[in-house]
Amino acid sequence: MNADEFRQKGKELIDYIADYLENIEVNRVTPNVEPGYLRPLLPTDAPHHSEDWESIFQDFKDKILPGVTHWQHPRFHAYFPAGNSYPSILGELLSAGLGTVGFSWAASPSCTELETIVLDWLGRMLNLPKTLLPESDNKQIYTQIDINGNSSEQNLNGQNSLQKRGGGVILGSASECVLVSLLSARNSALKKLKSEHPFVEDGHLLSKLVMYTSKLAHSCVEKAGMIAMVKTRILEPDENYSLRGNTLEKAILDDIDNGLVPFFVSCTLGTTSCCSFDNLVEIGQLCCREGIYLHVDAAYAGSALVCEELRYFSNGLEFVDSFNFNPNKWMLMNFDCSCL
C-alpha cells in the first residue's frame, strides 16, 4: 500500500466507522456464533503473499464482524459502561500514524511530558489527594487523627508526607496497575525485611509476605498475588458487599501471630460484580497504623469522581499509596486505557 492508496482507503474506512456507529442498532448485540466458529473460516497458516486491502476488508466483514459483540450498541448492558467517541478514535488514529515509541523522555520528549501533564489534569479532575499528584503542597498533609489518637502526618512508609510526591502513568488495564502496585509494595517490604534480617535468604523472607483483598475484588488481584509469589487472603465482605476494617484487622492479627508479614491491601471502589465499595476510611486508618501499603482499584467507578456530588465515596483516599481508574469506562475513551 502506497501513500495514495492509504489516503483513499483511510477516508473510506473513516466513512465505514461513522456509518457503523450511526446505524449500530440494526445489529444483534451479541453474535449468533458458537465457540470455535472462526478457525475453519481462516487458513491454517499465515498467507505467503500479501493481499490487497479490498480482500482483507471483505474478510473482516464476512468472517470477523459476524462474531463481534457490539459494545457500543444502545442495548449493550453487560460488564461496564465502555462508550468510545469520535475524538478518541481520531486521537488513536493520529497516535498510530506517528508510530512513536515513547518509553522514555529521550525516545520522544513530547509523549513523556504530555502523559505526565494529562495524568496530572485527571488527578485534579478527580480531586485526588495531593500526595498522589506530582506537586508539593505544604497545606496538603494528613490532618486526621488515627485510631490511636496520633496525628497522621506521615505516609504509610513512615516518611513525612511533604516528601511524598505522586504522579501518574498510563497502562493497558487495571490488572497491570494492580500488579505494578503490588510489585512496588513487595519490593519495599523485602528491602525493609532484608535490613532487619540481613542473613536470611530472600526466598524465606518472600514466603512470609501476605496480601489482602475482598472476595468481590476483580480476579486480577488474586492473579497478581500468584505472579508476585506472595500469599493472598481473600476476605468476606459485609452484608452490603463492602470489605470492613474489623474483618481486615482480624486477618492481619491472625497472620502476625502465625509469623507472617502483612504488607499489601487492595481495596475496590466499584466492584465488577455489583459495584460495591470497600470501607476506605476504616481500612485506610488500619493500614496507616500497621504500615501496610494500600492500593485502590477504582477501575469501574473512579471516573465518577469527576462529579462533585459523587465524591462522598472517595473518603479515605488520603490514606492511599496508589490509585487506578479506567477512563475507557464512562469517560468516552477507547479501550485500553488505565491510569495509575
Side-chain angles (χ1 to χ4, degrees), residues 175-225:
S175 300
E176 291 179 55
C177 294
V178 171
L179 177 59
V180 168
S181 300
L182 173 59
L183 293 178
S184 175
R186 187 189 71 170
N187 182 64
S188 296
L190 287 175
K191 278 185 177 181
K192 182 174 182 294
L193 287 175
K194 196 64 177 177
S195 68
E196 297 170 352
H197 309 282
F199 302 110
V200 178
E201 291 290 333
D202 290 356
H204 181 72
L205 296 176
L206 180 61
S207 70
K208 298 291 186 181
L209 297 182
V210 57
M211 58 178 280
Y212 307 86
T213 194
S214 167
K215 180 182 178 180
L216 295 177
H218 193 278
S219 60
C220 70
V221 181
E222 187 174 2
K223 292 174 183 175

Side-chain angles (χ1 to χ4, degrees), residues 67-330:
V68 166
T69 297
H70 299 281
W71 278 61
Q72 308 308 315
H73 199 290
R75 293 196 300 274
F76 179 88
H77 301 297
Y79 304 111
F80 45 79
N84 63 8
S85 62
Y86 293 127
S88 180
I89 296 170
L90 289 177
E92 191 157 321
L93 176 62
L94 180 59
S95 175
L98 293 175
T100 301
V101 182
F103 52 73
S104 68
W105 187 90
S108 187
S110 60
C111 283
T112 303
E113 295 193 16
L114 180 62
E115 181 178 2
T116 57
I117 291 169
V118 172
L119 266 293
D120 195 15
W121 289 352
L122 283 173
R124 291 200 295 269
M125 284 172 61
L126 301 183
N127 197 38
L128 296 181
K130 294 292 177 65
T131 49
L132 294 177
L133 301 177
E135 57 187 21
S136 179
D137 185 343
N138 291 340
K139 297 179 181 179
Q140 182 67 28
I141 60 175
Y142 297 156
T143 56
Q144 296 191 9
I145 304 300
D146 67 19
I147 54 181
N148 286 328
N150 300 315
S151 175
S152 301
E153 294 186 0
Q154 291 186 329
N155 64 21
L156 304 187
N157 293 320
Q159 299 170 330
N160 189 289
S161 61
L162 299 181
Q163 299 173 355
K164 180 179 179 180
R165 298 187 64 184
V169 64
I170 298 175
L171 297 177
S173 67
S175 300
E176 291 179 55
C177 294
V178 171
L179 177 59
V180 168
S181 300
L182 173 59
L183 293 178
S184 175
R186 187 189 71 170
N187 182 64
S188 296
L190 287 175
K191 278 185 177 181
K192 182 174 182 294
L193 287 175
K194 196 64 177 177
S195 68
E196 297 170 352
H197 309 282
F199 302 110
V200 178
E201 291 290 333
D202 290 356
H204 181 72
L205 296 176
L206 180 61
S207 70
K208 298 291 186 181
L209 297 182
V210 57
M211 58 178 280
Y212 307 86
T213 194
S214 167
K215 180 182 178 180
L216 295 177
H218 193 278
S219 60
C220 70
V221 181
E222 187 174 2
K223 292 174 183 175
M226 296 170 65
I227 294 172
M229 297 187 293
V230 297
K231 295 178 176 62
T232 304
R233 295 283 184 264
I234 309 297
L235 304 179
E236 288 288 335
D238 67 9
E239 66 278 5
N240 295 314
Y241 312 109
S242 174
L243 180 60
R244 302 298 299 273
N246 57 347
T247 302
L248 176 61
E249 182 175 26
K250 182 181 185 306
I252 288 173
L253 294 177
D254 288 344
D255 286 335
I256 291 175
D257 289 342
N258 289 324
L260 300 178
V261 180
F263 81 104
F264 181 83
V265 174
S266 181
C267 285
T268 303
L269 291 184
T271 57
T272 303
S273 58
C274 60
C275 199
S276 59
F277 296 78
D278 293 332
N279 193 308
L280 278 187
V281 174
E282 294 177 358
I283 293 173
Q285 290 177 335
L286 177 60
C287 288
C288 187
R289 184 188 72 190
E290 298 293 335
I292 297 173
Y293 188 109
L294 177 58
H295 176 74
V296 168
D297 176 13
Y300 193 165
S303 297
L305 291 176
V306 169
C307 303
E308 293 183 9
E309 66 272 21
L310 298 177
R311 288 176 181 168
Y312 59 88
F313 68 75
S314 69
N315 292 336
L317 280 181
E318 64 272 15
F319 299 107
V320 168
D321 282 295
S322 54
F323 172 95
N324 72 268
F325 82 107
N326 288 4
N328 60 267
K329 299 169 183 172
W330 298 14

